[in-house]
Structures are given as C-alpha cells and as structure tokens.
Amino acid sequence: MSEQVGRGLAQGWCALSALHGRIETHIERALQAGHELSVREFSLLNVLSGQHDGEGGHLRMSQVAESVLLSQSATTRLVSRLEDRGLLARYLCPTDRRGIYTEVTARGRELLERARPTNDAALREALADAEGRPELAPLVAAVRTLWAPADA
C-alpha cells in the first residue's frame, strides 16, 4: 500500500472518528438533560427491548455487550446500574438454571419510549451540524443514504 493511500485511510478514519464523537456527545447531552440516561444506557435498553420469549428471543450477555460496544464486564456493570434504577430485571432461564436473562421492565420501556424521540432529534441535529463541515459532509451523506428508506 502506498504512503499516500495509507495517509488517506488515516484521514478518513480520523474524520469517521470525529463524526462519531460529535454525534455521541450531542446525543449524550440531550439524553442526560431530558431523561437522565447516557447513550450507553439508552443503547442497552434499546437492544434489550427487542428481545422476545420465542426461540432465540433472548440475548446472551456477550451478544448484548457486542451490540452496545462494551466489554462483558462493563455491560454487566451497566445492567446492574439499570437494574438498581428499576429499568431492567434479571431472572433465571426456565430451561437452563445456569442461564440468566435480562429484560426491560415496564418502567424501562416507558423511559425508552419517552427518550427515543430525544435520541432521534439529537441525531438529526448532530448530522445537520456535521454536514456543514467539509471533512465530515461525505460521511454524513453516507449515513443519510443508509438511513433512507429502501423504496425512497
């Protein structure tokens, strides 16, 4: 790989990292101010709210950790904090007493539904702001393409 290509990749990665950081910071502030939730807490509630009781409906902690981009131990600590706040509950797997499921409580679902519009609005605001920066505009365009409905 040529030095020029390597430099271009590094610049692209820096731009992507900057976009992610700007978006996450903007969403974090909005969620904290409006709902006393962090981005990670929102993400965890969102991932766990998609579980169901059918076959393969519950996620293992390693799957949850992967989904929220945290280590397993950090995910376990996050689950404990949300459980302490009454937003999550843990219970033993009915078919394998060694397994522990985590589910969103009614209180957690209510908070998630109230926070979802805040998250979405903050994301749109952060993308609109980043779109005005030449180094981030192509990445914002790519995100918008991914976000657009397939039939649009």
Side-chain angles (χ1 to χ4, degrees):
M1 181 182 340
S2 75
E3 188 176 321
Q4 186 175 359
V5 171
R7 218 175 291 136
L9 285 174
Q11 288 172 333
W13 170 246
C14 286
L16 182 59
S17 180
L19 178 62
H20 176 268
R22 292 170 68 89
I23 290 171
E24 187 170 57
T25 297
H26 193 80
I27 294 172
E28 179 82 26
R29 286 184 188 135
L31 287 173
Q32 283 289 348
H35 309 283
E36 296 181 358
L37 273 178
S38 71
V39 169
R40 297 283 188 227
E41 290 167 338
F42 176 88
S43 295
L44 181 64
L45 289 172
N46 191 50
V47 166
L48 292 175
S49 72
Q51 296 185 125
H52 56 84
D53 288 330
E55 185 67 30
H58 284 84
L59 301 172
R60 297 183 180 280
M61 286 305 281
S62 60
Q63 294 170 301
V64 174
E66 246 179 58
S67 296
V68 295
L69 305 173
L70 292 173
S71 68
Q72 247 183 293
S73 61
T75 301
T76 299
R77 288 191 301 274
L78 184 57
V79 165
S80 294
R81 282 197 312 270
L82 291 176
E83 187 178 32
D84 290 347
R85 291 173 58 189
L87 303 174
L88 295 178
R90 290 187 241 200
Y91 64 95
L92 290 176
C93 171
T95 58
D96 178 0
R97 306 298 282 174
R98 295 169 297 167
I100 298 174
Y101 287 161
T102 304
E103 68 180 359
V104 181
T105 63
R107 183 175 169 195
R109 283 190 301 278
E110 290 168 11
L111 179 58
L112 178 62
E113 290 311 310
R114 285 194 316 269
R116 199 179 303 278
T118 303
N119 180 78
D120 295 349
L123 175 57
R124 283 191 295 277
E125 290 166 6
L127 287 171
D129 180 58
E131 203 165 29
R133 300 179 65 95
E135 71 277 15
L136 300 180
L139 294 171
V140 173
V143 169
R144 290 190 190 284
T145 300
L146 294 171
W147 196 358
D151 55 47

